[in-house]
Amino acid sequence: SGGDGSWFTFKQLLRKGFRHVIPEGLDHILFVLGIFLLSRKWKPLLLQVTTFTVAHTITIALAAMGMVSVNPSFIEPLIAASIAFIALENVVTGEYRHRRLVAVFLFGLIHGLGFASVSSLNPQSPSFLAELLGFTIGVDFGQLAVIGLAFASVAITALFLSSIRKP
């Protein structure tokens, strides 16, 4: 049935979205780690990652529908600049401020345009929504996995360092 096809499509794109981050998405990994390095509290992290993913999804959908088109040679340097900006902001501000969500949203739009140029999403497909949602949720899961691995690395490092400091 059509529902089974959409479910199959959703699962396929869920995997594709996850792979878009791990292992293929160094840009996502670096961006999300930049977010993590400024604040290791769950609420601001989840808010930023979700904001990034929502913005990413908007531009992927707009590009798939032919409403926006940007040359990858223009977008790729902007993606790199967004990662550098987040890193620089981490050094300059030293703490999370709610206004960072504006930058994260704008950078999410840019990152989405980067993927849109190689996306195979088809808005005429009856399963377009399943494709878009599957990919988006997969990207979010991938980004959350990066954050989970970052938390685990910090915790393991802290345990190791505390164990070697003891006399």
Side-chain angles (χ1 to χ4, degrees), residues 22-62:
I22 300 174
E24 299 167 1
L26 185 59
D27 60 326
H28 280 273
I29 292 169
L30 292 174
F31 192 86
V32 169
L33 286 174
I35 289 170
F36 170 80
L37 290 172
L38 186 62
S39 172
R40 286 175 294 286
K41 295 178 182 167
W42 276 107
K43 186 177 177 183
L45 279 171
L46 292 176
L47 196 56
Q48 290 175 87
V49 168
T50 302
T51 297
F52 184 71
T53 303
V54 167
H56 186 267
T57 303
I58 290 169
T59 48
I60 289 172
L62 291 173

Side-chain angles (χ1 to χ4, degrees), residues 20 28 42 46 60 107 109 114 119 126 133 139 153:
H20 177 68
H28 280 273
W42 276 107
L46 292 176
I60 289 172
F107 294 148
L109 293 174
S119 170
L133 287 175
V139 165
S153 297

Side-chain angles (χ1 to χ4, degrees), residues 86-162:
I86 288 296
L88 185 60
E89 186 183 32
N90 287 354
V91 172
V92 173
T93 64
E95 67 181 33
Y96 172 77
R97 292 189 177 91
H98 209 58
R99 65 180 158 78
R100 187 178 214 189
L101 290 176
V102 174
V104 169
F105 183 81
L106 293 173
F107 294 148
L109 293 174
I110 292 168
H111 282 245
L113 287 173
F115 178 74
S117 65
V118 297
S119 170
S120 59
L121 297 178
N122 176 8
Q124 273 63 50
S125 166
S127 59
F128 175 67
L129 190 57
E131 293 173 20
L132 187 62
L133 287 175
F135 184 78
T136 297
I137 293 169
V139 165
D140 222 20
F141 285 171
Q143 293 174 158
L144 292 173
V146 169
I147 287 175
L149 290 169
F151 267 116
S153 297
V154 168
I156 290 168
T157 302
L159 285 173
F160 174 74
L161 289 176
S162 70

